[in-house]
Amino acid sequence: MIHYLEHRRTWIIETDQAAYGLGLTETGQLIHLYFGESLPYHTDYPEPRDQHGWASFNSRADRNPEEYTGWGGVRYSEPCLKVEFHDHVRDLVLVYKEYVIQDGALVITLRDAHYPLEIRLNYKPFAELNLIQRTAEIVNTGEHPVDLEQVLSGELHLPAENHYRLSYLSGKWAGETQLRQIEMPDAKFILESRGGTTSHQTNPWFAMDPDGCSTEDYGKVFFGALAYSGNWKMVFEKRFGKIKASAGVHDFDFRWRLNAGETFAAPAFTIGYSAEGFGGASRQLHQYQLEYVLPRQTVRQDRKVLYNSWEATRFDVNEQDQIRLAELAATLGVELFVMDDGWFGRRNDDHAGLGDWTVNPEKFPNGLRPLIERVEELGMEFGIWVEPEMVNPDSDLYRRHPDWVYHFPNRVNSEMRNQLVLNLAREDVKQYLIGCLDRLLTENRIRFVKWDMNRLFSEPGYLDAPYEQQREIWVRHVRSLYDIVETLRKNHPDVHFQSCSGGGGRVDLGILELFDQVWVSDNTDAYDRLFIQEGYSYAYCAKTMESWVTAEQHWMNNRRLPLRFRFHVAMTGVLGIGENLHAWSEKEREEARGYVEAYKKVRSGIQNGRQYRLQSPKNNPVSSVMYVSEQQDTAVVFAFLYGNRNGDELRPLRLKGLDETKYYVLEGTEQRRSGKAWMSVGIELELKGDLDSCMLVLRADPSPNQ
Ligand code: GLA
């Protein structure tokens, strides 16, 4: 619900448990008033009052917690908007124009006091999720162009506290989404990506808890996530004892020519409040993805158990070998067979072929049809790997169009993995990719596309474009990517898409609007993966988290892990298998078949249920995560023990999220107890030794008490 209190010039946006207040001060500045638990009466919320500057260095404008800071006048904090008008004036003076409440959202329009430029701030609450999705549109209502130098989506002011703890996700290739927590310093702290894509290093998500004392289940957590897959930044700034968090498209090397009548739409910045700790905050974001973000056509479908050929065959793919793998995969109960890299152009290793999206005739003399038909005969669907934004210099495409990559004259084109980035800001490149991919999906019954991106940008030049548009490439690339996938999805509504960027380099709320699932990391060592997956779960839901079972001895760490442990780790999200199946004995295949079967029985609860982190792998001998179905009638619990000494007692695992009064039976046992008992007494784990694991299933039992 959104309320406007005219006498106070205040808006209150209420969700089921939270409220966000903003209003106009005596001098007409739009400022933030409140964010937190909702209060009984509208008059409980603070009134909009101008702050006072208390020294010649501290202006009122600078101290007011503005909702959308335009750079100009006496302002020194991170601005949301910085522009240059056609006459070279670079000072912005934003004043309030009007508001409307439409389609359940509050839209407040600000305008420049002199120049024809408007900013539409949109606040869309998701009541039951206690989230607000914020966007900002910059509209040029005049006749002259305006150059945008920084456009953020919004800023969030946190209630005053002694201090805050900032939680964020940090990482690297093969070690993504590690949860980090620091005390917010009296300074600026920036999370960002400048490489052209979301990044392995940081992810556009954060959480803040007052005094650093909220836990998994209790306490206040403020959080936010940005829906954008290019250069982004989140800036946390403590000034005058208070914190503001701003988020949006990165201003680094950014400039956007906004012509007369045009609008620049900043990506959505979704903010939330949880009174139930970090677990509550994560579940709000998970539900948001399931109910509003993920592609609507496919979101209700359970994700299939897949096989991926990469670790088994690398670039060495051909019709017979893939068919043999598919035959083995089918015996395990796999439902989707995905052929990875190596099937196109002259792609025999990573030196050639990217850009030539036609089937390699030596490896597949009769095209993909015989393989796809065999895969379908075996009762599976067929999926394929592509990396459309890239080109190898050794490719027909590059030989034809060397100017289709980002580049500067008089400079080398830096290669990484022997490849260059295609200039998707060019319409002809975008149309070429739509053409190739559309043909591929039309000519072959492909039901799943793994879309990869294996390098960052460099030498981001596009000197053929008008000068004032040359720095638009960063944003145009992302928009083209979204457009291409949107077009393909429209033309091929049955095809699912997976986002991959050398593992988890491109996961964010923006990509999740178009992609059904994510390859979270190239690191498939199940032990390392526990940490990656734990961090991932803070921001993203299990239905998007694809995880594979691979070799017993992992090539990255040399660690040996039991098949059971590897399966259980992969079963906590979307189960996949990436091992060379010829290397498994019949006994191992038999065992694997059992896990796949068990997973299929409970996957709906895992993929669509509420996730509860019971124990973190960071500081417990046993880590554990569980999922409870929406109706609270089934629960699936996974527990992982790393190493135990004889005599070490494992404390009982206390469950969460069950209905206190319902009875639940622990599958495979006679144990039947109330939800409350499972949550307060817990389960005795029978885990032993090194790298042991289990999956436990509880089902509500409606029969009366005995
Ligand atoms: C990336 C992906 C891998 C695999 C290879 C293929 O590294 O993350 O899963 O698809 O590319 O070249």
Side-chain angles (χ1 to χ4, degrees), residues 389-590:
E389 296 149 88
M390 299 291 155
V391 65
N392 286 117
D394 185 0
S395 66
D396 294 341
L397 181 69
Y398 188 74
R399 281 183 281 273
R400 272 201 314 275
H401 298 291
D403 55 332
W404 275 16
V405 297
Y406 297 114
H407 65 283
F408 286 119
N410 313 316
R411 296 285 179 250
V412 291
N413 290 347
S414 304
E415 291 177 22
M416 288 199 280
R417 211 192 189 206
N418 314 301
Q419 61 197 58
L420 299 169
V421 186
L422 284 174
N423 181 347
L424 265 64
R426 291 178 65 121
E427 192 55 29
D428 47 4
V429 173
K430 178 172 155 186
Q431 291 309 328
Y432 168 79
L433 292 177
I434 291 179
C436 299
L437 296 166
D438 195 66
R439 205 168 315 116
L440 180 69
L441 298 180
T442 306
E443 290 173 0
N444 301 286
R445 255 200 320 275
I446 292 170
R447 290 287 174 266
F448 181 93
V449 171
K450 172 175 175 181
W451 184 299
D452 211 337
M453 188 209 192
N454 276 312
R455 62 157 292 177
L456 302 177
F457 290 34
S458 63
E459 298 90 26
Y462 180 18
L463 302 199
D464 291 339
Y467 172 72
E468 61 282 358
Q469 291 173 11
Q470 289 176 6
R471 292 171 193 227
E472 294 178 4
I473 63 108
W474 299 106
V475 172
R476 290 199 181 274
H477 186 102
V478 180
R479 291 188 178 173
S480 285
L481 164 73
Y482 291 168
D483 285 351
I484 297 170
V485 181
E486 204 178 326
T487 308
L488 296 173
R489 289 201 80 116
K490 215 176 283 154
N491 296 351
H492 306 277
D494 296 336
V495 180
H496 286 231
F497 284 75
Q498 181 214 65
S499 169
C500 173
S501 174
R506 190 153 63 190
V507 47
D508 56 79
L509 290 181
I511 212 76
L512 290 182
E513 283 179 31
L514 290 159
F515 287 75
D516 305 278
Q517 60 200 62
V518 175
W519 182 227
V520 176
S521 180
D522 276 343
N523 186 344
T524 54
D525 173 310
Y527 176 71
D528 283 11
R529 194 99 184 174
L530 284 172
F531 296 81
I532 296 170
Q533 296 185 173
E534 180 194 47
Y536 187 91
S537 77
Y538 273 78
Y540 306 107
C541 67
K543 192 163 197 168
T544 64
M545 190 182 80
E546 186 182 317
S547 196
W548 309 340
V549 176
T550 57
E552 180 185 4
Q553 181 159 21
H554 199 267
W555 60 279
M556 283 185 184
N557 294 331
N558 273 341
R559 184 181 286 126
R560 281 180 185 280
L561 291 151
L563 192 62
R564 179 153 79 149
F565 194 93
R566 283 177 278 151
F567 259 99
H568 283 154
V569 170
M571 285 158 79
T572 62
V574 176
L575 174 63
I577 300 175
E579 164 68 316
N580 184 353
L581 298 177
H582 299 290
W584 280 358
S585 64
E586 187 39 49
K587 197 163 153 271
E588 283 170 312
R589 278 190 222 127
E590 185 58 42

Side-chain angles (χ1 to χ4, degrees), residues 173 176 200 308 310-311 314-315 340-342 344 347 349-350 354 385-387 417 419 450 452-454 498 500-504 519 521-524 548:
W173 173 77
E176 297 84 340
H200 295 84
N308 179 293
W310 174 243
E311 296 207 12
R314 301 262 156 180
F315 300 96
D340 210 280
D341 204 346
F344 53 91
R347 187 76 168 164
D349 54 34
D350 63 14
L354 288 176
W385 179 95
V386 290
E387 195 182 355
R417 211 192 189 206
Q419 61 197 58
K450 172 175 175 181
D452 211 337
M453 188 209 192
N454 276 312
Q498 181 214 65
C500 173
S501 174
W519 182 227
S521 180
D522 276 343
N523 186 344
T524 54
W548 309 340

Side-chain angles (χ1 to χ4, degrees), residues 163-167 181-183 207-209 212-214 278:
H163 76 85
Y164 274 91
R165 174 170 58 176
L166 170 65
S167 304
Q181 298 191 306
I182 57 162
E183 183 176 329
M208 289 258 188
D209 64 306
C213 59
S214 296
F278 290 94

